[in-house]
Amino acid sequence: MNTEKLLDALHTHGLYIWDDFLNAEEVEQLRAAIPENMKPAGIGREQRHHTNTTIRSDKIIWLERGKHPAIDDFFSRMAVIKNEVNRHFFLGLFEFEAHFARYDIGDFYQKHLDAFEGRSNRRLTVVMYLNEEWADEDGGEIVIYDHQDNHLHTLWPKAGRLLVFLSEEFPHEVLPTHRERYSIAGWFRVNGMRHDIVDPSR
Ligand code: OGA
Ligand code: MN
């Protein structure tokens, strides 16, 4: 895996769009690894976790190791990214967590930051797209902004594309999809105290 462009782009922009990160065959295998029993996604974590379908209406299931070779392979690739990013930026990335997401027709995710609610220690976000032959009229684009609300990117969720960005820097949203839409969203976290759980004053 050649991470040179990724490291360069993260350094300069804090964001990288890695097209053809996976080939069609690898995407197909990941699609086949998606379990049936996805559940409505929530917001926040642990006690603060709740579902709110006015904010997001996708269905998710967390990736687990040892369940499918394609999932294990994905974890291995993410470990390479973690090590390379740590080596170059001293981010101290520690844990990786990821879920499959399915957006049914009409589903969306309103503008949000990945690293805020519940103080989750998320530092780096990845989104892996698993949809062959996405077209303009299919909707479901991810739209990325900066903190001043300037528009930065509008991207199709097309097969093989991996989006990588600093979790705290880029508000983003998923526009309503007109076609069933699959992705993996993942986060590298730093190892820190879980304030949301241990500190009752928050
Ligand atoms: C998320 C997310 C984006 C996408 O799950 O936090 O922003 O394009 N997903 O699926
Ligand atoms: Mn997000």
Side-chain angles (χ1 to χ4, degrees):
M1 192 193 301
N2 187 351
T3 55
E4 204 172 309
K5 284 184 183 157
L6 166 70
L7 298 169
D8 232 49
L10 282 181
H11 177 74
T12 319
H13 307 292
L15 180 148
Y16 184 54
I17 302 155
W18 192 334
D19 281 327
D20 303 313
F21 178 78
L22 296 183
N23 64 34
E25 169 76 25
E26 291 160 342
V27 169
E28 183 56 44
Q29 284 168 10
L30 264 180
R31 280 283 294 252
I34 303 176
E36 295 284 317
N37 51 333
M38 295 177 123
K39 304 247 166 53
I43 300 154
R45 51 177 50 250
E46 308 292 331
Q47 292 93 331
R48 293 187 177 198
H49 181 96
H50 58 281
T51 53
N52 184 341
T53 49
T54 65
I55 295 176
R56 67 186 296 188
S57 51
D58 58 323
K59 292 86 192 169
I60 67 152
I61 188 160
W62 293 92
L63 274 69
E64 289 178 59
R65 289 178 179 78
K67 292 276 164 99
H68 193 289
I71 295 176
D72 288 345
D73 184 66
F74 184 73
F75 275 119
S76 304
R77 291 172 191 270
M78 293 305 112
V80 173
I81 288 180
K82 181 177 91 169
N83 292 336
E84 288 291 300
V85 167
N86 278 339
R87 217 154 58 83
H88 283 78
F89 303 117
F90 308 101
L91 278 183
L93 304 180
F94 185 72
E95 278 178 83
F96 179 70
E97 58 182 358
H99 64 57
F100 288 108
R102 187 186 75 234
Y103 290 71
D104 295 319
I105 293 174
D107 283 351
F108 59 86
Y109 193 161
Q110 284 190 7
K111 197 193 285 182
H112 65 280
L113 267 181
D114 284 347
F116 181 64
E117 180 105 17
R119 295 163 185 84
S120 60
N121 301 335
R122 289 170 173 176
R123 289 291 186 278
L124 192 69
T125 297
V126 294
V127 192
M128 178 80 241
Y129 293 109
L130 305 173
N131 311 284
E132 295 293 346
E133 292 175 35
W134 203 263
D136 244 344
E137 60 271 20
D138 292 334
E141 296 94 340
I142 182 169
V143 188
I144 303 169
Y145 305 86
D146 65 15
H147 279 304
Q148 287 72 47
D149 213 28
N150 296 305
H151 169 270
L152 298 180
H153 300 278
T154 296
L155 302 172
W156 282 353
K158 66 173 196 170
R161 169 176 278 169
L162 182 77
L163 170 65
V164 187
F165 60 87
L166 297 175
S167 306
E168 293 154 307
E169 301 305 324
F170 301 96
H172 54 282
E173 65 183 324
V174 178
L175 301 181
T177 186
H178 308 310
R179 213 185 112 181
E180 209 172 65
R181 172 197 196 272
Y182 288 92
S183 56
I184 295 172
W187 300 274
F188 296 98
R189 294 179 9 195
V190 292
N191 199 10
M193 205 164 47
R194 295 281 292 277
H195 298 283
D196 55 320
I197 293 172
V198 299
D199 183 353
S201 68
R202 283 170 183 258

